[in-house]
Amino acid sequence: MNKRADFPLTEIDPDDIGHNASANPTFDSVLSARLSRRSLLRGGVGTAATALFGSVALAACGGGGDDEAAPPPVATDPPITSLAFTAVAKSLEDRVTVPAGYTATVIYALGDPLDAATPDYRNDGTDTGFDQRAGDHHDGMGYFGLGANGLRDDNASDRGLLVVNHEATSHPGSELSSTYLHADGGTPTLPRPAAEVDKEVPIHGVSVVEVKKAAGGGFATVRDSAFNRRITPLTPVQLAGAARGSALMKTAYSADGTQARGTLNNCGTGRTPWGTLLTGEENWAGYFARGAADDAARGNDKSVASLKRYGRAQGSKSRHGWESAGADDKYQRWDISRKGTSTDGTDDYRHELNTFGYLVEIDPYDKAAAIKKRTSLGRFAHESAAFSKLVEGQPIAVYMGDDSRGEYMYKFVSSATWSAADGNAADRIAQGDKYLDSGKLYAARFNADGSGDWLELTIANPLIAGFTGYAFADQADVLVNARLAADAVGATKMDRPEWCATHPTTGEVYYTLTNNSSRSATPGAGQFGVDPANPRAYSDLKGDPAQGGTTQRGNVNGHIIRLAETNGAAAAATFRWDVYLFGAQAQRDAADTSLSDADYAASVNLSSLTADQDFSSPDGLWFSRNTGLCWIQTDDGAYTDATNCMMLAGVPGSVGDGAKKTLAYGSTSVDTYVGKAPTAQTLKRFLVGPVDCEITGLCETPDGKALFVNIQHPGETISKAALANPAGYPSHWPANAGYGAGGATTARPRSATVVITKDDGGRIGS
Ligand code: FEO
Ligand code: CA
Ligand code: CA
Ligand code: CA
């Protein structure tokens, strides 16, 4: 789902608005801490970095042995350290633009059939059978190689399975129906017809689709592959980990709290070292309705605090009104009000919300394998999952972000220590059981001296056990209410943590912080003060004020923060951090004649981005294992007066390669740590998407020669009334690129996967 940066833009996902009312540290307290810790400042970082990289290098070399994990595909090609392609210019065109010498080809769009029996997609709102079609809003994605024998082969670059998240569906905030899915735009008000809901539910979830390289070199999906399948909000899944069977999980669907129904709002992904996919459930809360008098119906028990913290105060309306489609259980589960008389919740869906908000593990190769929600990794608005560099005999860490204003960054550290042999085990889900069900969950605190602490979320911590904001019963309760536990321990409120990714060489962990309109130098109600890790609050002009242009405020363009664990250890309790890149616009707005527009100023453009590099609202983030390149994708609404959303390639350095920078705010100031500015060879715009899209999700073949990228929600928002004028649709992509049914100037837009190849057959980015 698109996350617009600021008012007055149309589509702020309500789940991103933020429900963190905790009193965790903001500017004043951090400033005082900084003064007392100043002696620890950068003097230590160079030394720490040297020590860190020394230790990483040692681990990689294994002290002469081979303690680096073997199973993931071995990149035999050298990393790309200088970007050779010509940067793509910012663009407002309704097309996918890639550099000269590259080709982007659409291969898998909303509605494409996943078997031979399902008809071709007509794209006119009359299609049905979405449990055998591509879903909507393609998002995070993984490539899983297939050998000629039809079995897993991590080195196969000519045949594989794409596992694609389908996050959401397009609708104006004021209308409930998914406009493009229905012939007439659907029923925008309550009650929703069952036939419409039965189409909208299964376009969410995940798809598995086989892709194969043709003799001529191009990739296409294999329509009748036996691997193809859909996983939807109705697919049976298991609850795994510490909250399995908890009293908090009991519903009319699963009286013993061990089962859940489906997965929802699947955003980022992570590829496990044993060959499965983790899919992150992000903005799931908004799909559920809660009655106006439900606090009293629940006897004002502690669930009320939990529901509020996750954005479901009583009276909350649901995003699509699915609960209104009938008495059938599959509709009623979207109403989380207490309706039954049981004391344990097994006669209604009062606990249904607790069964969403997890990383969910899927084995792409095995339709029969259980799908498992890994509750030990915490419940929040999950994005991607990044694994630490693997070291034989050491625990593994999974890094995660919670995308909402003022939410936290997390890591999970496994109890089990890594054994490379597990990477090739035949029962892949059993490896998930081993590494993901038992371990410790932490939230991040960023200190003013450039250090950071991982704060364990455990019921044994007196700050959690004695928390006045919520009475935790046990560790399952801590995990299900991870946000409240992180409040209790004083984690740092961040500017909407989106994807994270691990640098394949250094092992440092990068997180996008997409933007935060609630960040302020002088915070008021519901706002967050600037701090060292979230140091910017400024105003930015969008459009021409004379033509209705507006001023956006806060951290308008977002940034990318990175962490180096102490001694490079996945289980480290502390880390060092700096900011790899600050998003910003490089040039004055074309419409700005006021000379008052600060958005391109040096105090905002802290990474000195040029016109070939400037970006706003970083979201997707991923490192190629073949080329080592850092790919940055945007989901922006702040700089879209100048350009559609984009993807850039970067060659990052490492934590501490830049300098401390003091940002002045009136009579006070905040220090931050800015990574070394990129050069023309180390950061370049590689792709710009069509109108009103988000660029998100990417994966590649192991040889680094085919990059799969998702274009989410082109022409995102259209009202039912505007649907009657096809020529006026904001986008006609991908029909205007020659893909699928419909005219180039009249077709409804569709989310789709594109595959990018280099015309000379080389590696992407070389
Ligand atoms: Fe689905 Fe926060 O991106
Ligand atoms: Ca986003
Ligand atoms: Ca601007
Ligand atoms: Ca996203």
Side-chain angles (χ1 to χ4, degrees):
M1 186 73 183
N2 192 22
K3 314 304 175 337
R4 300 302 191 169
D6 212 301
F7 53 88
L9 299 159
T10 48
E11 287 297 292
I12 296 171
D13 192 307
D15 286 351
D16 292 334
I17 288 172
H19 304 277
N20 189 347
S22 72
N24 287 356
T26 51
F27 182 55
D28 290 344
S29 53
V30 170
L31 187 66
S32 340
R34 175 164 59 87
L35 294 171
S36 63
R37 285 169 150 157
R38 185 160 274 169
S39 57
L40 297 174
L41 269 174
R42 290 277 117 158
V45 170
T47 319
T50 307
L52 167 65
F53 299 135
S55 73
V56 167
L58 194 62
C61 297
D66 180 19
D67 60 359
E68 188 67 22
V74 180
T76 52
D77 305 308
I80 293 173
T81 54
S82 181
L83 300 168
F85 62 87
T86 303
V88 170
K90 293 187 283 288
S91 166
L92 293 167
E93 289 185 69
D94 191 28
R95 60 189 292 253
V96 173
T97 309
V98 291
Y102 288 84
T103 300
T105 308
V106 183
I107 59 167
Y108 185 58
L110 162 67
D112 280 351
L114 287 170
D115 60 21
T118 301
D120 287 346
Y121 196 58
R122 290 185 291 266
N123 194 26
D124 59 3
T126 64
D127 302 279
T128 57
F130 281 93
D131 53 4
Q132 284 299 324
R133 296 184 181 278
D136 204 355
H137 282 210
H138 300 38
D139 205 321
M141 177 167 55
Y143 176 93
F144 295 84
L146 272 176
N149 56 3
L151 299 176
R152 174 186 173 193
D153 178 352
D154 287 353
N155 288 302
S157 286
D158 55 357
R159 184 187 179 202
L161 301 175
L162 282 186
V163 188
V164 183
N165 280 348
H166 298 291
E167 189 181 31
T169 187
S170 298
H171 71 121
S174 56
E175 298 182 8
L176 295 171
S177 54
S178 175
T179 320
Y180 293 122
L181 259 288
H182 309 293
D184 66 351
T187 306
T189 52
L190 295 173
R192 299 295 316 286
E196 291 183 9
V197 173
D198 289 345
K199 285 173 72 170
E200 292 177 10
V201 172
I203 61 170
H204 292 69
V206 180
S207 53
V208 179
V209 61
E210 183 178 339
V211 292
K212 205 169 184 178
K213 202 166 169 178
F219 273 89
T221 59
V222 180
R223 179 165 174 172
D224 58 354
S225 168
F227 290 100
N228 291 354
R229 62 171 155 150
R230 283 299 317 283
I231 296 156
T232 77
L234 293 167
T235 304
V237 303
Q238 292 187 22
L239 294 165
R244 174 181 169 87
S246 157
L248 296 170
M249 299 298 204
K250 294 180 178 178
T251 66
Y253 179 75
S254 177
D256 65 0
T258 62
Q259 312 290 315
R261 188 160 32 181
T263 185
L264 181 62
N265 206 267
N266 303 83
C267 177
T269 48
R271 185 198 164 95
T272 69
W274 47 92
T276 64
L277 183 101
L278 292 176
T279 173
E281 299 181 314
E282 189 194 6
N283 291 318
W284 35 274
Y287 290 80
F288 296 88
R290 195 168 160 237
D294 192 49
D295 285 0
R298 289 171 181 263
N300 285 297
D301 66 14
K302 70 176 196 174
S303 71
V304 170
S306 166
L307 288 159
K308 278 187 184 161
R309 187 64 182 81
Y310 284 85
R312 292 291 92 184
Q314 65 176 352
S316 292
K317 309 285 189 223
S318 66
R319 177 179 290 195
H320 296 291
W322 291 341
E323 74 284 355
S324 71
D328 191 297
D329 188 67
K330 70 180 177 181
Y331 308 122
Q332 288 307 304
R333 53 104 52 123
W334 301 107
D335 183 343
I336 54 173
S337 308
R338 176 171 179 168
K339 295 175 172 175
T341 54
S342 71
T343 53
D344 63 0
T346 54
D347 57 351
D348 60 19
Y349 287 98
R350 78 187 73 154
H351 292 147
E352 183 79 350
L353 202 68
N354 294 335
T355 69
F356 287 91
Y358 300 101
L359 286 167
V360 186
E361 187 173 10
I362 296 169
D363 183 347
Y365 298 103
D366 187 356
K367 284 180 171 175
I371 298 169
K372 294 196 176 181
K373 298 200 175 193
R374 298 295 179 188
T375 65
S376 294
L377 281 68
R379 172 171 164 267
F380 41 89
H382 277 280
E383 295 272 335
S384 70
F387 283 77
S388 56
K389 272 191 80 165
L390 302 173
V391 181
E392 187 77 8
Q394 295 294 313
I396 61 177
V398 184
Y399 298 87
M400 305 168 284
D402 181 359
D403 179 15
S404 196
R405 293 176 201 164
E407 291 301 344
Y408 308 120
M409 290 161 45
Y410 295 84
K411 83 165 172 179
F412 170 84
V413 177
S414 65
S415 299
T417 56
W418 176 243
S419 167
D422 291 340
N424 279 331
D427 186 343
R428 288 171 285 272
I429 293 295
Q431 306 316 306
D433 296 342
K434 174 177 177 181
Y435 290 102
L436 300 179
D437 282 350
S438 176
K440 293 178 177 177
L441 184 66
Y442 301 83
R445 179 174 64 203
F446 290 79
N447 302 319
D449 63 357
S451 70
D453 300 295
W454 290 112
L455 309 170
E456 189 184 348
L457 305 182
T458 168
I459 191 71
N461 183 336
L463 290 175
I464 291 177
F467 186 49
T468 54
Y470 182 81
F472 292 99
D474 51 23
Q475 187 61 17
D477 204 354
V478 169
L479 297 167
V480 170
N481 290 290
R483 282 181 174 174
L484 286 158
D487 292 345
V489 297
T492 301
K493 298 174 182 176
M494 307 300 289
D495 285 345
R496 298 186 48 201
E498 298 250 19
W499 289 47
C500 51
T502 306
H503 190 295
T505 309
T506 66
E508 293 181 357
V509 184
Y510 289 60
Y511 274 83
T512 51
L513 299 167
T514 195
N515 58 58
N516 188 351
S517 58
S518 299
R519 189 67 65 178
S520 172
T522 54
Q527 293 185 315
F528 310 101
V530 288
D531 65 42
N534 304 275
R536 291 188 309 173
Y538 53 100
S539 62
D540 172 290
L541 187 66
K542 183 177 181 189
D544 181 352
Q547 305 292 322
T550 51
T551 297
Q552 314 171 110
R553 291 187 178 83
N555 178 5
V556 177
N557 303 116
H559 56 292
I560 303 173
I561 204 165
R562 60 186 170 187
L563 326 177
E565 298 277 26
T566 299
N567 296 323
T574 56
F575 57 86
R576 306 292 306 182
W577 64 269
D578 73 2
V579 175
Y580 166 42
L581 293 170
F582 285 94
Q585 64 183 81
Q587 296 150 303
R588 181 182 299 280
D589 292 276
D592 180 24
T593 56
S594 68
L595 300 183
S596 63
D597 185 7
D599 50 13
Y600 71 101
S603 61
V604 171
N605 187 5
L606 295 171
S607 297
S608 303
L609 304 179
T610 67
D612 286 342
Q613 302 169 325
D614 58 345
F615 68 92
S616 177
S617 303
D619 187 344
L621 184 75
W622 185 79
F623 281 93
S624 163
R625 284 190 289 185
N626 181 284
T627 62
L629 292 178
C630 178
W631 292 98
I632 301 161
Q633 303 175 311
T634 71
D635 173 14
D636 184 44
Y639 200 19
T640 44
D641 51 341
T643 184
N644 299 337
C645 288
M646 65 182 70
M647 183 166 84
L648 306 96
V651 182
S654 54
V655 171
D657 66 4
K660 183 172 76 167
K661 175 93 177 171
T662 301
L663 304 183
Y665 291 101
S667 59
T668 186
S669 67
V670 61
D671 287 347
T672 190
Y673 304 97
V674 186
K676 184 180 176 184
T679 68
Q681 284 73 47
T682 61
L683 184 67
K684 278 184 191 178
R685 188 178 304 107
F686 180 84
L687 175 152
V688 179
V691 172
D692 284 354
C693 79
E694 161 182 352
I695 308 297
T696 183
L698 73 168
C699 56
E700 70 182 358
T701 51
D703 61 8
K705 295 179 176 177
L707 189 66
F708 301 88
V709 176
N710 281 327
I711 309 297
Q712 190 185 97
H713 63 63
E716 180 181 26
T717 301
I718 190 169
S719 66
K720 179 182 171 81
L723 194 70
N725 175 26
Y729 296 168
S731 170
H732 301 288
W733 191 89
N736 64 4
Y739 190 87
T745 58
T746 54
R748 299 177 182 206
R750 301 160 72 186
S751 296
T753 304
V754 298
V755 60
I756 298 167
T757 48
K758 199 166 180 228
D759 298 346
D760 68 4
R763 293 190 297 157
I764 308 300
S766 63

